Amino acid sequence: MKLRVAITGAGGFLGTALMRGLLASGAEVYALTRRPVGLPGVSWHAYELGGHLPAPALFENVDAVVHAAFSMDGSGPAQEQRNVAAAQQLHAAARRHGRPFIFISSMSAHAGAISSYGRAKWASEQILDPAVDTTVRPGLIIGPGGLYARMLATLRRAPVVPIFYGGTQPVQPVGLADVTAALLRILGQPLTGVFNLGSLQPITIRALYTRMLAAAHLRRPLLRLPGDLTVRALRVSERLGLSLPLTAENLLGQKQLRAFDTAASFARLGLIPTPLDELPWGPSSS
Ligand SMILES: NC(=O)c1ccc[n+]([C@@H]2O[C@H](COP(=O)([O-])OP(=O)(O)OC[C@H]3O[C@@H](n4cnc5c(N)ncnc54)[C@H](OP(=O)(O)O)[C@@H]3O)[C@@H](O)[C@H]2O)c1
């Protein structure tokens, strides 16, 4: 029987790749997005985070709900509450109809997170029941879009690469294709619990930027800057309405990065993550 999957954030970087993967495997896709997605064969349902949910018939008709949308609008507690409330609302609808709920979280999610993003992801994870729901925590997704493409674009414009909090914090990049493959496996079973998707060995932020610069054929000095002081300066400039390529949120996210065990997740999925050297780092794909 055809797998039928509803996806929020379907028009985004990860959502689009997932839709394509599902369509290629013969599944039916229901995109829950603000604007129609231009992929043939996809059924569109208007969806705004925290707004009215699609009619109950949609949840009756699908085998699983993937929640990939996340609103970066605003900041602080308001942003956090909006995202957590939306996850709660969607999860409750999936649960009412007995449908598995797959939440796209992040490696920023942990109990001690101080960024609004990390806190919102962690709080949303707490809503889920690991016996019936699935949490997917990707590291930095390498591919032609999302945060990685934005970081590359910022690197191209910046004369230096600022390094905060020493630059030794761990990051676990993962290929877009690996995250998509993992989601297809999770949906196909379905598999429940928590999946950490990132490189088996973490690299430091400093090593990440060095790799990105090399891939983009850029020469930029890495400049160590004080993290907390910069957060305070950024907060002042944000209150003044100045738009900068870096936000206080970005830095708080960097301050508390943690390494996760990803080997067990990939083993459970029966997948081997693409080695770091083979990920699509270059701007040619962005
Ligand atoms: N990219 C990464 O490195 C990475 C790493 C870890 C976790 N994640 C998580 O993966 C998920 C997908 O991220 P992505 O990289 O694909 O980012 P993305 O391209 O920005 O996709 C985010 C999606 O959320 C939707 N969205 C935002 N605000 C919304 C609202 N108010 N109502 C309805 N939809 C809204 C956007 O819709 P519009 O198209 O209408 O703007 C967009 O399609 C997110 O939950 C993100 O936190 C990403």
Side-chain angles (χ1 to χ4, degrees):
M1 225 175 72
K2 265 190 182 177
L3 184 66
R4 298 156 305 171
V5 183
I7 311 172
T8 70
F13 169 50
L14 176 58
T16 302
L18 178 60
M19 277 199 303
R20 288 186 195 283
L22 282 166
L23 290 172
S25 72
E28 275 176 24
V29 178
Y30 297 77
L32 274 53
T33 56
R34 293 186 276 197
R35 290 171 285 273
V37 296
L39 268 188
V42 171
S43 159
W44 176 63
H45 296 260
Y47 172 72
E48 170 78 38
L49 277 169
H52 292 298
L53 287 179
L58 171 89
F59 295 93
E60 276 302 323
N61 280 341
V62 298
D63 299 303
V65 177
V66 178
H67 184 37
F70 188 90
S71 170
M72 298 296 255
D73 290 347
S75 62
Q79 185 205 65
E80 227 172 292
Q81 280 156 21
R82 188 170 53 252
N83 280 292
V84 177
Q88 202 151 25
Q89 179 197 36
L90 201 65
H91 174 258
R95 178 60 66 79
R96 257 194 311 278
H97 295 87
R99 301 298 180 250
F101 184 77
I102 292 111
F103 175 60
I104 309 299
S105 185
S106 159
M107 286 192 177
S108 301
H110 52 79
I114 51 173
S115 69
S116 303
Y117 178 74
R119 282 206 304 256
K121 292 289 191 187
W122 176 252
S124 301
E125 286 188 11
Q126 305 318 301
I127 298 163
L128 309 193
D129 175 354
V132 290
D133 300 312
T134 314
T135 295
V136 175
R137 292 188 192 132
L140 176 64
I141 303 176
I142 309 303
L147 176 60
Y148 182 67
R150 291 197 294 276
M151 286 171 72
L152 264 184
T154 306
L155 273 193
R156 267 191 235 119
R157 287 194 304 269
V160 296
V161 182
I163 299 287
F164 300 99
Y165 302 109
T168 55
Q169 307 93 305
V171 277
Q172 288 169 280
V174 61
L176 177 63
D178 291 339
V179 180
T180 308
L183 285 168
L184 292 180
R185 293 262 163 119
I186 288 166
L187 286 162
Q189 303 272 346
L191 295 171
T192 60
V194 179
F195 291 86
N196 300 321
L197 304 178
S199 58
L200 300 178
Q201 300 300 330
I203 59 173
T204 64
I205 284 211
R206 190 175 272 276
L208 171 74
Y209 281 128
T210 305
R211 209 175 253 278
M212 291 172 69
L213 288 170
H217 306 292
L218 294 171
R219 288 165 71 89
R220 303 276 189 276
L222 304 188
L223 180 66
R224 253 182 97 148
L225 291 174
D228 286 343
L229 197 66
T230 310
V231 167
R232 284 202 288 277
L234 285 168
R235 285 214 163 116
V236 172
S237 57
E238 283 159 17
R239 272 199 292 275
L240 294 173
L242 299 176
S243 167
L244 297 170
L246 191 70
T247 64
E249 262 293 298
N250 297 150
L251 257 65
L252 291 175
Q254 282 191 23
K255 184 177 182 178
Q256 285 202 318
L257 287 167
R258 304 215 170 152
F260 286 79
D261 170 21
T262 56
S265 297
F266 279 108
R268 201 174 152 217
L269 291 163
L271 295 171
I272 296 171
T274 306
L276 283 173
D277 286 343
E278 294 170 27
L279 291 178
W281 296 99
S284 56
S285 52
S286 64

